[in-house]
Amino acid sequence: MREKIRILLTLVAVLLIAVSCESESYDTGDGALSYMRADFVEMRTDSRCDVVSVLTDDGEEMPAMPAFACNWASVPDTVYRALLYYNKVEKDNGMFYAEPLGVTKVHVPEIKTEDGMNESVVTDPLTLQSSWKGQNGRYLNLELALKTGVPDDKELKQTLGMMLTEVTTDGEGRRLVRLTLLHNQNGVPQYYTTTAYLSVPLYAMPCGLSQGDRVEISVNTYDGWIAKTFTY
């Protein structure tokens, strides 16, 4: 499934219209050793808030050349989660760098417990397009389809979150960690569909995780509740 998504994303990358980042001019990088990719990454900013390097979910770290700025990546020396469209270009020394083409923000929710919730638990329906675990095991990734529109009150926004609901242990000491996706439509009209990406940080699980533990995510969809389970 993950590979299918990557192929689809690569095909549509050149059609991106609304990319919320800016970068300097750069060559197309279309040589024999260059090819376009779409990967979920952790991207790091420098002291000037420019993105200078990326770490893919496959565990490959590359400099970003040229460095580029994002209006939502506005804190220096910080790691941000993103879906990056780029050319992977080989340098003369055999190393690779990422030549940016476009980038989309990926939401990383704080995993809350029921006791730590300071608002009502809302699970309005949405569409779960796909879900998979990153190869390096740091994130569970969700591709979601949200129904949206322009509300009369421009301050209204949909919200997404994640709640830890239960942890059980089997006879062999392995745990099952149950999460629930939170979604508040919040009065936003449902005129058309937009895609949103969400990455669940397994490394930040409140209960911690050990090898062999399983994580189950429950999502309320328009066709009813769906549960997806992944082994850590």
Side-chain angles (χ1 to χ4, degrees):
M1 176 62 72
R2 181 181 181 280
E3 196 61 31
K4 177 182 177 183
I5 295 167
R6 173 178 291 177
I7 293 171
L8 291 174
L9 291 173
T10 301
L11 290 174
V12 303
V14 295
L15 301 178
L16 287 178
I17 298 174
V19 176
S20 57
C21 287
E22 299 175 353
S23 62
E24 298 174 0
S25 299
Y26 46 82
D27 295 331
T28 57
D30 55 0
L33 298 178
S34 304
Y35 59 98
M36 187 171 64
R37 300 173 59 106
D39 281 317
F40 284 76
V41 302
E42 291 179 332
M43 59 184 201
R44 183 176 296 278
T45 59
D46 63 8
S47 59
R48 299 180 300 176
C49 298
D50 288 338
V51 176
V52 293
S53 66
V54 299
L55 174 65
T56 73
D57 280 5
D58 294 337
E60 184 173 15
E61 187 168 12
M62 294 174 285
M65 296 178 62
F68 61 97
C70 278
N71 55 13
W72 47 264
S74 57
V75 179
D77 302 314
T78 300
V79 173
Y80 289 90
R81 185 69 170 161
L83 170 58
L84 180 69
Y85 302 89
Y86 65 102
N87 284 328
K88 183 179 177 182
V89 183
E90 186 174 5
K91 297 190 289 187
D92 293 339
N93 59 5
M95 304 296 288
F96 289 91
Y97 67 87
E99 183 181 66
L101 301 175
V103 65
T104 299
K105 184 177 183 179
V106 175
H107 180 51
V108 180
E110 176 187 359
I111 303 173
K112 300 181 179 179
T113 62
E114 291 187 79
D115 293 340
M117 294 287 294
N118 55 13
E119 67 270 1
S120 299
V121 175
V122 181
T123 55
D124 290 331
L126 43 68
T127 299
L128 177 63
Q129 302 276 52
S130 58
S131 58
W132 69 97
K133 185 179 74 171
Q135 185 171 326
N136 61 7
R138 286 179 59 79
Y139 296 95
L140 294 181
N141 301 304
L142 306 179
E143 181 184 9
L144 308 170
L146 307 179
K147 292 187 177 180
T148 188
V150 180
D152 293 333
D153 182 352
K154 299 301 189 295
E155 297 300 317
L156 293 180
K157 303 290 183 182
Q158 294 187 63
T159 60
L160 294 167
M162 192 65 63
M163 182 175 69
L164 174 63
T165 56
E166 184 182 31
V167 180
T168 60
T169 305
D170 65 18
E172 297 181 0
R174 292 174 300 191
R175 291 177 299 171
L176 173 62
V177 179
R178 289 191 167 95
L179 305 175
T180 298
L181 178 67
L182 307 177
H183 172 230
N184 189 346
Q185 189 72 29
N186 200 27
V188 174
Q190 302 182 46
Y191 298 145
Y192 59 91
T193 300
T194 186
T195 299
Y197 299 100
L198 182 146
S199 288
V200 181
L202 297 178
Y203 59 85
M205 197 69 66
C207 60
L209 290 174
S210 299
Q211 187 173 359
D213 288 346
R214 292 176 298 152
V215 178
E216 177 189 276
I217 297 180
S218 295
V219 180
N220 186 22
T221 75
Y222 292 101
D223 296 321
W225 284 88
I226 294 176
K228 299 292 186 179
T229 304
F230 305 86
T231 300
Y232 184 66

